[in-house]
Amino acid sequence: MAEMMKGNIAIAEAAVRAGVRLYAGYPITPSSEIMEYLSWRLPEVGGAFVQAESELAGINMVYGGSSCGVRVLTASSGPGISLKQEGISVLSDEELPALVINVVRYGNGLGTLFSSQCDYLRETRGGGNGDYRCIVLCPSSIQEAVDMVSTAYELGEKYRVVVVMMTEGALGQMMEPVTLPEFQEPKRNYWGFDGKYSYKKIGIFDRDSKKEAVELNKKYAEIKANEQRWEEEGIEDADYVFVAYGVPGRSTLGAIRELRAEGHKVGLIRPITAWPFPEKAFEHINKNVKGIITVEANATGQLVDDAALFTKKVLRADIPVYALPFVYGVPPIREIKAKFAQILAGEIKEVY
């Protein structure tokens, strides 16, 4: 039965029901409700909650928990996620799964508290040192985020990678009807420390990094082949295809439906995985498409780079790619439509 829940609270409860038994982190708006909720909820189910002294300490506690084979979680936003990058790089190097929730807020440096999508490039490229990738999931509703939690752990454990759920301040703070999943029995993964087993990869000297790189590339290729996820609508005959993810993907869907009703042939690709990017969706686009348009809640246009890359790779044509960056917040339907009119009038030029 559905109940009204705030996004952060629903995600936290979904994690408990997915068998998470360790949360370690440090509070930061707009993600703090996840931590606050789990501070009393995890002890109720026999789990452990640690408010670390810093984000750095928190991610390294998560590393320790994952090395023991349990499902672990941390959450933060903006600069907090930046501080966790070395730990995420280490988790990736040791091939240990974890779920990292980034409730994205806008801005450079310490930033602001506005909902945003300005962390796209960091999350999809791997924000720490080294050669690694994280699976990046981008829900557009609270229900989708709740359903993704279990999927995130299944993917992380299958491929032994870190999974980032990239939500936004708006999604974390808004309320919607949610149906929560059933409880899963907590499990201990086979690689967990048992007092006898130790990692052969720890250290930097006695390793065959070239051999490891071959295996990593094989794994990432498998993820790209099998785990692309997206939603599409109207792209098979569209003159213009919008690409938008997360909550802006919802308002963009509303815009294309209104534009369709007004006689414009437009469609939408909503990436559900930002990495691996859903390049297979581009195979379904009308071969005579006139343009690709990204709608983004950031200032510089970041999603547009991937949209252009796979437009050129898959469609193999000189198709203009436009970016509509709305800086922060959720782009309103009327503004998306107004900017589309500017594209048609030649007032907004392509980025690629």
Side-chain angles (χ1 to χ4, degrees):
M1 182 176 179
E3 57 181 300
M4 289 293 293
M5 298 186 74
K6 178 180 278 194
N8 283 339
I9 301 300
I11 291 168
E13 178 60 28
V16 172
R17 293 175 181 234
V20 170
R21 290 301 178 264
L22 172 64
Y23 179 96
Y26 191 81
I28 183 171
T29 304
S31 74
S32 295
E33 291 90 350
I34 296 173
M35 182 175 186
E36 181 181 10
Y37 183 85
L38 292 175
S39 68
W40 60 266
R41 185 71 175 103
L42 275 176
E44 284 190 340
V45 295
F49 167 86
V50 183
Q51 177 169 329
E53 64 268 28
S54 68
E55 288 87 353
L56 282 75
I59 193 64
N60 283 292
M61 292 173 187
V62 164
Y63 167 61
S66 185
S67 70
C68 292
V70 301
R71 287 187 167 180
V72 294
L73 172 67
T74 192
S76 191
S77 182
I81 295 289
S82 292
L83 290 168
K84 295 178 188 288
Q85 292 306 314
E86 183 181 44
I88 292 171
S89 178
V90 172
L91 281 159
S92 300
D93 179 55
E94 301 300 327
E95 297 186 88
L96 290 171
L99 176 56
V100 177
I101 297 174
N102 179 7
V103 187
V104 183
R105 73 188 206 184
Y106 178 71
N108 305 321
L110 294 178
T112 70
L113 302 183
F114 297 117
S115 179
S116 180
Q117 295 180 319
C118 61
D119 293 349
Y120 179 88
L121 289 176
R122 181 185 64 198
E123 304 306 346
T124 57
R125 269 58 184 175
N129 58 292
D131 249 352
Y132 71 95
R133 291 284 196 172
C134 301
I135 293 175
V136 183
L137 302 175
C138 306
S140 67
S141 70
I142 298 173
Q143 185 66 63
E144 189 173 37
V146 164
D147 295 340
M148 272 183 185
V149 171
S150 180
T151 300
Y153 284 105
E154 291 165 4
L155 290 173
E157 290 162 3
K158 177 180 180 180
Y159 296 105
R160 293 188 63 166
V161 295
V162 174
V163 178
V164 176
M165 185 186 292
M166 188 164 57
T167 77
E168 302 148 43
L171 192 143
Q173 297 299 315
M174 70 189 190
M175 297 184 73
E176 290 184 324
V178 177
T179 301
L180 293 168
E182 298 295 323
F183 281 89
Q184 297 181 35
E185 190 68 27
K187 66 176 183 178
R188 183 186 178 95
N189 288 301
Y190 67 89
W191 59 76
F193 282 123
D194 58 6
K196 301 176 184 178
Y197 176 75
S198 63
Y199 287 115
K200 63 182 179 181
K201 290 181 66 176
I202 288 178
I204 59 174
F205 299 112
D206 299 322
R207 297 175 61 169
D208 187 345
S209 292
K210 287 191 175 181
K211 181 180 178 181
E212 290 174 15
V214 170
E215 293 302 313
L216 282 176
N217 281 326
K218 181 180 177 182
K219 176 171 70 174
Y220 295 146
E222 183 181 356
I223 294 171
K224 285 195 282 187
N226 298 325
E227 305 302 343
Q228 295 178 34
R229 288 167 163 81
W230 72 90
E231 178 184 46
E232 65 181 63
E233 184 168 315
I235 65 175
E236 64 285 342
D237 68 343
D239 290 330
Y240 291 88
V241 172
F242 288 81
V243 182
Y245 70 91
V247 182
R250 289 172 68 172
S251 56
T252 304
L253 179 60
I256 69 137
R257 287 176 175 173
E258 289 191 10
L259 287 167
R260 276 257 171 188
E262 295 166 9
H264 297 283
K265 288 186 176 181
V266 292
L268 171 69
I269 293 172
R270 179 176 69 86
I272 296 173
T273 51
W275 196 87
F277 190 81
E279 62 179 279
K280 293 178 182 178
F282 284 66
E283 297 171 3
H284 305 162
I285 292 176
N286 173 21
K287 296 300 184 285
N288 297 313
V289 68
K290 297 177 181 177
I292 308 295
I293 305 166
T294 64
V295 177
E296 314 185 38
N298 56 52
T300 57
Q302 299 181 23
L303 174 64
V304 67
D305 294 347
D306 280 335
L309 171 64
F310 293 107
T311 296
K312 308 305 180 186
K313 178 182 177 183
V314 177
L315 298 176
R316 300 182 182 278
D318 189 21
I319 298 165
V321 182
Y322 304 86
L324 302 181
F326 285 84
V327 188
Y328 55 75
V330 180
I333 289 174
R334 65 180 180 277
E335 293 188 21
I336 296 171
K337 292 173 64 178
K339 287 186 178 294
F340 176 65
Q342 288 182 277
I343 289 174
L344 295 182
E347 296 170 8
I348 294 178
K349 302 301 182 182
E350 65 267 29
V351 178
Y352 291 97

